């Protein structure tokens, strides 16, 4: 089953289908008329059958054009030429003494085909107007033909009955659509809603399952260890996975496992590599790309300053996550994050006594998160020296100015982690 | 719940939210159309159901009118009356079976109706046997044709062609039998062709209508599927960036700083251990809640939040996930319709399983605006088109709709 047609398409579709039904009946009527004409001609019952067959064939050809190209021009030509053909056939048939009046099955066939013209345009009113024209012209041709040969005229019962059926069906079709039964059931809206809810539910479940998979082990290990020094394996495990927690679209399928040895290279952005090239290399896979304002994307490569700063101070930066998530920020916020991360990386190079740092990027819950992590010497967060003014002004103040937040953890001898969170969109 | 069960439940969900691809939109394979309008566009078929009654009445009026018109040819009044009764019976059966409450209209029903109508044709032939001067005033072919035409929304084009041809064949035999008495003296073959003309024309019209409307509906459905696939991708991407608060985003905001703090600490305190335990438990709870609730719970929550209608879902096994997409649409449409415009004060949807069948019972305590049986029958008919068994009972205070479906379909 499909959900069927939406209301706005139903009118045209049902109208076309009814027109095709009429055309099918008209073709069969004309086909039967041709067979009949050939039969009576071939058996010698009425030699006029040959001419009648030719005329009806011409009418069928015109009907084909109307069915194929339902324009006003072709419809008019069909009605005009068809009327002439009905007139001609009437004179042929009524010249024989087979029938008492024009109300007979042989003349009913072309009249029926004339009435079932279908015609240009959609909708019940158009169809009824064209059918009325076809019916009236057909009956007029019968009358004229009967007068010409001096035969008795009677309206065609079959054509009249078919006309009544057509008017009833078309009127019903038009009226029933006005009652809007499709809208009343709300099937399409309900289908859309249930589909979206199912996707949301699936997304939530996958996201929580993956957060569960990633974080639960660490949480259990911490709770089981109780108070005491942090186990180095636990620390490195969290460090590995923290990037995943931050820099991952939670509900997307994990990407195929890259070739051994390639994983780290893909995720890392060596500081000595040209930053724009690195950023552009990631663009095709960017989930945030669709939402990115073209101007930001074009004019501001993600973390341009930060990567340049790291390169200048000789720091290798490993990136986890997708740089393009920064395109979810407007230019002001993207710049603020860039400058703040640049300051973080410069701080690592100056103070942490390590040659490398990790940057993890992610998006979720309406926020973009960037974490800068190092395993350097660390410092006491409650006792930041005066010369570390960059942390206060270049990082925290800059980010808070764009409604973001900065959280910092650092312990001497262990390392430093700075998490920058900025809301998506405009500042 | 272990990891494999979780994985299975999740993969079930993933399957359910994947839009059907083109080959899965059955009925449009290999260029053949095997569906009826009733299946492809159930609401459209329900909308046109009164046309069957109109066709049946027209057929009856026609049979009475033409019998009176050619009464001079009637040699057996009993057979003539019988013919009219056959027409009435065929029309009644067609109209009754085409009503939404008795959906779906099957091919068997079409053959039964046409058999009755052909019976009327035979009775009419018997009534004028030996005295039928003109075929043109016989109602038999017209009546059969009209009934076939009015049933076009409920039948495949092939069955309409087949039934039309078979009825024409029977009619031709009658024409050959009565050809000796026809005054025109035309060749018998010509009489057969003429006599079958109304029936063949109307059968062709019916088949063309059925083919066209199903073809266009499925073509639209293919386009819609493409759009849905694209929309899904955008929706999933949008969800990743969504600012809407969700369990996972809230939890992540708590887990992330906690782990970052532990990672850069030299010691874990007792408070840290307790906090880790709390977060682990919250993660488990969130996962369990995610697995146990379904899209229908979300729909009910949304309905309860946006209206005064108390909506409850009793689905301990998460069976709502197993419903096909069209079945989900029908169930959602029914619940949303009941919850709209004050039709219901409260709604309860309960899922049970009996053998290889699932059963959904939707109970609604009615509100100020009465939900008519006719309106509920629309949902029943659409549900039946979506391979759901459907029964509805309604009183002034309550509506109960019971939907059944085969598990694993």
């Amino acid at each position: 089953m499909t959900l069927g047609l939406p209301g706005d398409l139903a009118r045209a579709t049902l109208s076309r289908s009814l027109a095709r039904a009429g055309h099918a009946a008209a073709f069969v009527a004309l086909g039967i008329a041709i067979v009949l004409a050939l039969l009576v001609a071939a058996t010698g019952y009425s030699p006029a059958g040959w001419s009648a067959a030719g005329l009806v064939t011409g009418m069928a050809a015109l009907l084909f054009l109307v069915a194929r190209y339902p324009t006003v021009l072709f419809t008019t030509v069909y009605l005009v030429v068809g009327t002439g053909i009905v007139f001609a056939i009437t004179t042929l048939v009524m010249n024989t003494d087979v029938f008492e009046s024009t109300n007979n099955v042989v003349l009913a066939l072309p009249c029926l085909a004339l009435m079932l013209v279908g015609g240009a345009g959609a909708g019940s009113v158009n169809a009824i107007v064209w059918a009325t024209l076809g019916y009236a012209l057909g009956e007029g041709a019968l009358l004229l033909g009967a007068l010409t040969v001096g035969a008795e005229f009677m309206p065609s019962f079959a054509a009249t009955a078919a006309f009544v059926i057509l008017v009833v069906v078309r009127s019903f079709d038009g009226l029933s659509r006005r009652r809007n039964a499709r809208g009343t059931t709300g099937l399409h809206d309900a289908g859309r809603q249930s589909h979206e809810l199912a996707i949301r539910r699936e997304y939530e479940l996958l996201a929580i399952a993956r957060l569960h998979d990633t974080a639960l082990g660490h949480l259990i290990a911490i709770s089981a260890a109780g108070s005491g020094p942090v186990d180095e394996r636990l620390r490195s495990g969290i460090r590995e996975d923290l990037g995943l927690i931050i820099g991952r679209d939670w509900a997307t399928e994990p990407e195929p496992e890259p070739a051994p040895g390639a994983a780290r290279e893909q995720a890392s952005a060596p500081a000595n590599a040209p930053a724009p090239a690195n950023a552009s290399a990631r663009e095709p896979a960017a989930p945030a790309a669709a939402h990115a304002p073209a101007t930001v994307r074009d004019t501001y490569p993600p973390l341009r300053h930060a990567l340049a700063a790291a390169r200048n101070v000789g720091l290798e930066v490993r990136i986890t996550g997708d740089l393009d998530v920064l395109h979810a920020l407007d230019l002001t916020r993207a710049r603020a994050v860039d400058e703040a991360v640049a300051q973080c990386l410069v701080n690592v190079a100056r103070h942490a006594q390590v040659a490398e740092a990790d940057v993890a990027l992610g998006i979720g819950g309406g926020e973009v998160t960037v974490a800068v992590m190092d395993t350097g010497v660390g410092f006491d967060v409650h006792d930041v020296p005066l010369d570390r003014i960059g942390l206060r002004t270049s990082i925290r103040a800059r980010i808070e100015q764009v409604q973001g937040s900065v959280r910092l953890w650092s312990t001497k001898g262990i390392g430093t982690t700075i998490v920058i969170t900025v809301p998506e969109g405009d500042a | 719940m272990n990891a494999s069960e979780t994985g299975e439940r999740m993969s079930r969900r993933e399957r359910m939210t994947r839009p059907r691809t083109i080959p899965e939109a059955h009925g449009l394979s290999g260029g053949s159309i095997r569906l009826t309008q009733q299946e492809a566009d159930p609401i459209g078929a329900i909308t046109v159901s009164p046309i069957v009654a109109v066709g049946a009445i027209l057929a009856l009026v026609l049979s009475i009118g033409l019998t009176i018109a050619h009464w001079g040819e009637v040699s057996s009044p009993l057979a003539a009356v019988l013919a009219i009764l056959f027409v009435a019976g065929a029309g009644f059966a067609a109209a009754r079976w085409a009503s939404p409450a008795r959906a779906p209209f099957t091919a068997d029903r079409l053959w039964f109706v046409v058999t009755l109508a052909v019976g009327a044709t035979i009775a009419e032939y018997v009534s004028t046997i030996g005295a039928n001067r003109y075929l043109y005033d016989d109602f038999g072919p017209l009546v059969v044709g009209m009934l076939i035409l009015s049933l076009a929304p409920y039948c495949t084009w092939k069955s309409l062609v087949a039934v039309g041809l078979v009825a024409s064949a029977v009619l031709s035999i009658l024409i050959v039998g009565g050809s000796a008495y026809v005054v025109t003296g035309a060749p018998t073959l010509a009489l057969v062709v003429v006599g079958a003309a109304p029936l063949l024309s109307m059968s062709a019209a019916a088949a063309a209508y059925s083919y066209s409307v199903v073809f266009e509906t499925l073509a639209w459905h293919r386009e819609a599927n493409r759009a849905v696939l694209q929309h899904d991708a955008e929706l999933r991407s949008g969800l990743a960036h969504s600012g809407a608060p969700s369990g996972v985003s809230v939890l992540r905001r708590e887990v992330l700083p906690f782990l970052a703090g532990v990672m850069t600490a030299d010691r874990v305190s007792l408070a840290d251990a307790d906090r880790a335990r709390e977060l682990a438990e919250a993660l488990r709870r969130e996962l369990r809640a995610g697995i146990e609730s379904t899209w229908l719970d979300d729909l009910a929550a949304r309905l309860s939040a946006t209206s005064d209608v108390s909506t409850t879902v009793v689905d301990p096994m998460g069976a709502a996930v197993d419903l096909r997409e069209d079945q989900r649409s029908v169930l959602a449409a029914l619940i949303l319709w009941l919850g709209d415009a004050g039709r219901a004060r409260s709604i309860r949807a309960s899922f049970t399983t009996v053998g290889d069948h699932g059963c959904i019972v939707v109970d609604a305590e009615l509100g100020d605006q009465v939900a008519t049986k006719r309106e509920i029958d629309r949902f029943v008919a659409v549900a039946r088109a979506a391979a759901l068994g459907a029964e509805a009972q309604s009183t002034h205070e309550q509506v109960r709709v019971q939907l059944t479906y085969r598990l694993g379909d």
Side-chain angles (χ1 to χ4, degrees):
Chain A
M1 171 209 171
T2 72
L3 285 181
L5 293 166
D8 53 336
L9 290 180
R11 177 175 180 266
T13 299
L14 293 182
S15 189
R16 271 196 301 274
S17 298
L18 287 170
R20 283 179 192 140
H23 289 152
F27 278 121
V28 170
L30 292 177
I32 286 172
I34 293 168
V35 170
L36 190 64
L38 293 176
L39 266 174
V40 294
T43 56
Y45 181 76
S46 173
W50 299 116
S51 311
L55 289 168
V56 177
T57 304
M59 200 170 166
L62 278 175
L63 181 63
F64 175 79
L65 282 178
V66 175
R68 187 77 181 79
Y69 310 103
T71 61
V72 174
L73 176 67
F74 280 123
T75 308
T76 309
V77 169
Y78 175 72
L79 286 176
V80 171
V81 177
T83 303
I85 290 172
V86 172
F87 168 77
I89 293 173
T90 305
T91 57
L92 286 175
V93 170
M94 297 313 292
N95 252 338
T96 64
D97 292 327
V98 176
F99 298 108
E100 293 170 0
S101 74
T102 52
N103 179 23
N104 63 67
V105 68
V106 175
L107 292 179
L109 293 171
C111 284
L112 193 73
L114 201 59
M115 191 273 291
L116 293 172
V117 59
S124 299
V125 174
N126 277 337
I128 290 173
V129 167
W130 286 120
T132 306
L133 268 174
Y135 174 70
L137 288 171
E139 293 301 317
L142 286 184
L143 174 64
L144 206 60
L147 289 175
T148 304
V149 296
E152 184 187 349
F153 167 76
M154 273 186 74
S156 168
F157 168 75
T160 306
F163 179 65
V164 170
I165 292 171
L166 185 141
V167 170
V168 167
V169 168
R170 285 291 193 168
S171 303
F172 181 85
D173 178 49
L175 290 173
S176 62
R177 270 204 305 273
R178 283 189 188 172
R179 291 209 322 264
N180 193 21
R182 291 171 192 276
T184 308
T185 53
L187 199 61
H188 281 276
D189 282 345
R192 185 179 45 75
Q193 272 199 53
S194 61
H195 184 72
E196 287 185 7
L197 286 172
I199 286 178
R200 279 177 198 281
R201 176 53 58 186
E202 178 202 329
Y203 177 90
E204 279 284 302
L205 186 60
L206 283 172
I208 194 70
R210 284 175 183 153
L211 180 60
H212 182 274
D213 293 348
T214 311
L216 191 70
H218 301 314
L219 293 171
I220 289 172
I222 294 166
S223 68
S227 100
V230 177
D231 180 74
E232 282 308 314
R233 279 180 303 178
L234 175 65
R235 192 194 306 282
S236 63
I238 293 175
R239 183 181 297 282
E240 284 290 316
D241 288 345
L242 203 64
L244 289 179
I245 294 174
I246 296 167
R248 179 171 179 178
D249 180 358
W250 291 90
T252 52
E253 289 295 331
E255 287 178 13
E257 201 65 32
R264 208 60 190 168
E265 288 168 19
Q266 278 189 348
S268 77
N272 56 0
N278 173 56
S280 64
R282 293 168 185 276
E283 277 182 23
H291 299 266
T295 51
V296 178
R297 168 180 293 280
D298 296 342
T299 60
Y300 204 83
L303 297 186
R304 180 177 60 182
H305 289 304
L307 294 173
R311 194 165 56 243
N312 290 339
V313 293
L315 187 73
E316 186 185 341
V317 179
R318 290 191 298 257
I319 295 178
T320 308
D322 194 338
L323 276 173
D324 277 347
V325 300
L326 293 169
H327 283 133
L329 304 175
D330 75 336
L331 195 56
T332 308
R333 283 181 169 154
R335 277 191 174 139
V337 170
D338 188 10
E339 298 293 346
V341 172
Q343 186 61 47
C344 291
L345 294 175
V346 168
N347 284 350
V348 171
R350 280 184 189 161
H351 308 291
Q353 299 174 21
V354 287
E356 57 185 34
D358 292 285
V359 172
L361 303 100
I363 189 168
E367 293 175 338
V368 171
T369 303
V370 183
V372 181
M373 298 171 274
D374 70 74
T375 53
V377 295
F379 60 94
D380 184 347
V381 291
H382 303 296
D383 186 23
V384 180
L386 285 175
D387 66 326
R388 299 289 294 272
I389 196 166
L391 176 64
R392 290 201 192 93
T393 54
S394 294
I395 302 175
R396 200 179 294 278
R398 194 188 299 273
I399 292 301
E400 285 173 355
Q401 222 167 27
V402 292
Q403 292 84 46
S405 66
V406 177
R407 283 168 293 181
L408 181 146
W409 298 268
S410 185
T411 303
K412 284 183 178 173
I414 290 169
T416 303
T417 297
I418 299 175
V419 175
I420 298 166
T421 307
V422 181
E424 278 187 60
D426 296 340
Chain B
M1 183 165 295
N2 62 37
S4 67
E5 282 174 324
T6 308
E8 189 190 337
R9 292 287 288 270
M10 284 165 54
S11 64
R12 272 165 65 201
R13 284 163 195 271
E14 286 168 30
R15 282 200 304 276
M16 291 314 299
T17 52
R18 195 187 60 214
R20 287 189 300 170
T21 52
I22 297 165
E24 287 174 286
H26 53 275
L28 192 62
S29 60
S32 68
I33 301 287
R34 300 190 303 272
L35 292 179
T36 66
Q37 184 189 359
Q38 179 183 232
E39 292 162 320
D41 182 24
I43 295 293
I46 291 164
T47 307
V48 300
S49 64
I51 203 75
V52 183
V54 173
I57 291 167
L58 279 178
L60 183 62
V61 169
L62 199 66
S63 66
I64 294 170
L66 286 179
T67 302
I68 294 169
H70 71 196
W71 190 252
E73 297 173 355
V74 171
S75 55
S76 169
L78 182 65
V81 171
L82 194 64
I84 292 169
L85 288 177
F86 267 119
V87 174
F92 178 76
R96 189 171 170 77
W97 278 334
S99 72
R102 286 170 180 77
F105 190 96
T106 56
D108 296 347
R109 294 178 180 184
L110 171 70
W111 283 98
F112 184 83
V113 168
V114 172
T115 303
L116 281 181
V118 170
T121 308
I122 295 169
E124 185 196 27
Y125 170 78
V126 172
S127 73
T128 59
I129 198 161
N132 194 13
R133 296 170 64 234
Y134 296 103
L135 296 177
Y136 189 54
D137 57 4
D138 291 353
F139 67 74
L142 288 170
V143 163
V144 179
M146 280 181 71
L147 288 172
I148 289 175
L149 192 56
S150 62
L151 290 172
Y154 306 95
C155 307
T156 62
W157 73 273
K158 284 182 179 174
S159 63
L160 290 163
V161 167
V163 82
L165 289 176
V166 170
S168 299
V170 175
L171 195 69
S172 301
I173 295 167
L174 298 179
I175 291 169
V176 171
S179 60
Y181 310 103
V182 175
V183 294
T184 57
T188 304
L189 195 55
L191 293 177
V192 168
V193 170
V194 164
L199 178 50
L200 288 176
S201 299
M202 286 197 257
S203 300
Y209 173 82
S210 175
Y211 183 92
S212 175
V213 79
V214 172
F215 181 83
E216 290 215 9
T217 304
L218 291 181
W220 175 82
H221 197 246
R222 277 188 300 177
E223 290 301 315
N225 262 347
R226 284 194 195 102
V228 165
L229 283 169
Q230 189 179 348
H231 175 71
D232 280 4
E234 288 169 4
L235 179 64
R236 285 172 205 275
S237 169
L239 283 171
H241 307 155
S242 166
S246 65
V248 67
S249 60
V250 170
L251 203 51
R252 180 177 153 239
R253 277 182 199 158
E254 295 184 36
V255 169
L256 170 63
F258 177 75
L259 288 180
V262 170
M263 185 182 76
T264 45
D266 55 352
R267 290 182 66 82
V268 175
S269 66
L270 277 176
D272 287 336
D274 290 343
R275 180 71 180 137
R277 200 171 299 115
E278 282 172 20
L279 286 171
E281 191 48 43
L283 260 178
R284 286 199 190 97
R285 264 201 314 274
E286 195 68 33
L287 182 63
R288 205 176 305 123
I291 289 169
E292 286 173 358
S293 62
T294 68
W295 63 272
L296 190 57
D297 294 289
D298 294 342
L299 184 81
R302 186 182 281 186
L303 187 59
S304 297
T306 56
S307 67
D308 296 332
V309 183
S310 158
T311 311
T312 317
V313 176
V314 183
D315 183 13
M317 302 302 289
V321 175
D322 294 327
L323 294 176
R324 284 181 355 204
E325 197 159 323
D326 49 359
Q327 294 170 333
R328 282 205 310 253
S329 301
V330 173
L331 180 59
L334 174 63
I335 290 172
L336 290 172
W337 179 79
L338 284 168
D340 186 38
R343 289 190 187 91
R345 287 196 185 88
S346 67
I347 303 168
R348 178 187 162 92
S350 329
F351 286 71
T352 50
T353 305
V354 182
D356 61 346
H357 279 77
C359 178
I360 310 161
V361 178
V362 179
D363 285 307
E365 186 191 341
L366 292 179
D368 301 330
Q369 187 174 328
V370 177
T372 65
K373 185 175 181 308
R374 187 188 182 83
E375 289 171 314
I376 294 166
D377 280 347
R378 281 200 188 123
F379 289 98
V380 169
V382 176
R384 286 177 181 164
L388 287 165
E391 298 296 335
Q393 298 165 337
S394 59
T395 64
H396 287 298
E397 291 85 29
Q398 204 169 8
V399 167
R400 167 170 282 200
V401 179
Q402 186 168 321
L403 306 169
T404 52
Y405 58 98
R406 274 183 69 86
L407 296 171
D409 272 0

